[in-house]
Amino acid sequence: MDALAMDKISIILVLLASSYGAVLQGHARPVLSSDNALLQRNDDETASVGATRNFTYLFEVQTGDMRLAGTDSQLTFTFSDTDSNSFELVYDGNGEIYQQFFERGQYNYDEFTKDIFMKPCRLKIKTDGRGAAPSWYCEWVKISVWGQRFEDHYEHRFIVQHWIGPNDPDPSELTVNDCNKASMASAKKNMPSSFSII
C-alpha cells in the first residue's frame, strides 16, 4: 500500500474518531446556549477553570404569571441533601446581565458542573429585598443531576407557589423541605410541598 493510500486511511480514521466523540458527548449532556445562562455563581468548585467535572447539574425555575410577580432583587438558592451536603446559587437581578431574569411568567434555567453527586431534597430561597420590585412569586424550582453512568441520575421539582419579599406578610426567606418520605411522595404527585417561613 503506497503512502498516499495510507494518508487517506489515516484521515478517515481521524474523522470517524472525532464524529464518535461528538456523539458520545451529545448523549452525555444536553447542549444549552450560553445566552440563556443566568447564574452568578457563589461556589468555589464551579468558579475554578479547567478543573475535572464529573456531574452536570441543571437548575430550572418558573416565576408566577400574575401582577408584580417578577423581581429585580438578588435571589439566593441553597440546595441541600440528607447528608448535609449543600451548594448555593446567587442571582443578582440588579446587574445589567440579569435584568431580564425572574420576570412575570418567565422560565429560566442554567447548567453547571460539580465533582460531587448530590440528591438535593431541601431548598432555601432568600431575597435581599433590593430593587424597584423587591417581592417575587415563585411557582416551582427544579434541580437535575446526571453523570456518565446510567444510575447517576436524579431530578426533583420543588413546588413553592409562594411570595418571597422583604415585608410582611411576604417572608424574605423560605424553605421547602422534601427530605422525608411523605413529602417526597407528595412532590412526585405535584402536590404542594411543606415549607417553613423565617
Side-chain angles (χ1 to χ4, degrees):
M1 187 176 294
D2 60 18
L4 182 59
M6 288 295 292
D7 287 342
K8 288 181 179 178
I9 291 173
S10 297
I11 291 171
I12 291 171
L13 289 175
V14 168
L15 290 173
L16 286 174
S18 299
S19 299
Y20 181 67
V23 169
L24 287 180
Q25 183 179 9
H27 283 290
R29 49 179 277 188
V31 178
L32 300 179
S33 169
S34 59
D35 293 338
N36 290 295
L38 52 86
L39 180 63
Q40 176 183 325
R41 296 181 179 85
N42 185 15
D43 184 343
D44 291 337
E45 290 179 358
T46 55
S48 61
V49 177
T52 301
R53 303 305 192 206
N54 296 322
F55 302 102
T56 301
Y57 287 74
L58 180 65
F59 168 82
E60 301 171 86
V61 60
Q62 178 68 51
T63 297
D65 188 10
M66 60 191 69
R67 184 174 179 271
L68 301 177
T71 188
D72 296 326
S73 296
Q74 177 175 288
L75 296 174
T76 302
F77 299 82
T78 304
F79 294 91
S80 56
D81 63 13
T82 55
D83 296 323
S84 299
N85 297 309
S86 66
F87 62 87
E88 188 176 87
L89 310 178
V90 180
Y91 300 81
D92 189 356
N94 284 312
E96 182 178 350
I97 298 174
Y98 307 104
Q99 284 180 349
Q100 301 305 314
F101 300 126
F102 305 111
E103 298 297 333
R104 173 179 176 175
Q106 192 175 66
Y107 163 83
N108 297 116
Y109 70 86
D110 189 46
E111 184 188 82
F112 58 98
T113 52
K114 295 181 70 66
D115 60 5
I116 182 173
F117 180 76
M118 276 181 56
K119 296 182 177 182
C121 56
R122 185 181 295 107
L123 167 65
K124 181 171 71 174
I125 307 173
K126 185 176 181 180
T127 176
D128 68 351
R130 294 183 302 165
S135 294
W136 178 56
Y137 189 90
C138 179
E139 286 286 355
W140 54 262
V141 172
K142 183 178 178 182
I143 192 77
S144 305
V145 55
W146 61 93
Q148 297 295 328
R149 302 183 304 172
F150 178 78
E151 58 268 31
D152 291 337
H153 179 261
Y154 171 83
E155 61 181 45
H156 184 71
R157 185 188 301 265
F158 296 91
I159 306 300
V160 181
Q161 297 179 337
H162 207 278
W163 285 96
I164 303 167
N167 304 310
D168 290 335
D170 304 334
S172 61
E173 187 173 304
L174 181 146
T175 300
V176 181
N177 187 358
D178 289 338
C179 288
N180 62 66
K181 291 182 179 179
S183 59
M184 285 290 282
S186 67
K188 289 180 180 178
K189 295 177 182 176
N190 289 323
M191 297 292 289
S193 305
S194 63
F195 59 82
S196 59
I197 297 173
I198 299 175

